Amino acid sequence: WVPEQGAISVFRAKEHFQRLIANANIFHMDPGLTLEQMMDVLRELIERNAPATDTYIRPMLFKDGETVGPALN
């Protein structure tokens, strides 16, 4: 939150999403969205909620089943 501007400033969102996608690939997970789509969803989330204070956003992926984990072969 940047009070002087009355706006939210997102810290390195693109880099965080790139890392999320890279880690998902290691675990054979499909995030279901492209980097650009993730950025769009983040913008929409912020616009719709209109936070007026510091805000913590934690994008996460999860997977269940027997195929969780990296392939070691």
Side-chain angles (χ1 to χ4, degrees), residues 2-63:
V2 184
E4 300 82 21
Q5 298 175 4
I8 287 288
S9 176
V10 180
F11 182 73
R12 296 186 178 178
K14 183 176 182 179
E15 290 85 351
H16 289 305
F17 286 136
Q18 287 172 329
R19 192 168 42 255
L20 179 71
I21 292 168
N23 289 332
N25 290 332
I26 291 170
F27 286 92
H28 303 284
M29 296 173 68
D30 177 11
L33 298 172
T34 65
L35 174 62
E36 293 77 21
Q37 290 170 323
M38 288 182 185
M39 295 294 292
D40 290 342
V41 168
L42 177 61
R43 276 188 218 95
E44 184 176 345
L45 175 72
I46 293 169
E47 286 173 8
R48 285 188 181 200
N49 286 279
T53 185
D54 289 343
T55 303
Y56 184 76
I57 300 170
R58 176 182 275 188
M60 298 171 70
L61 300 175
F62 67 93
K63 182 176 180 177

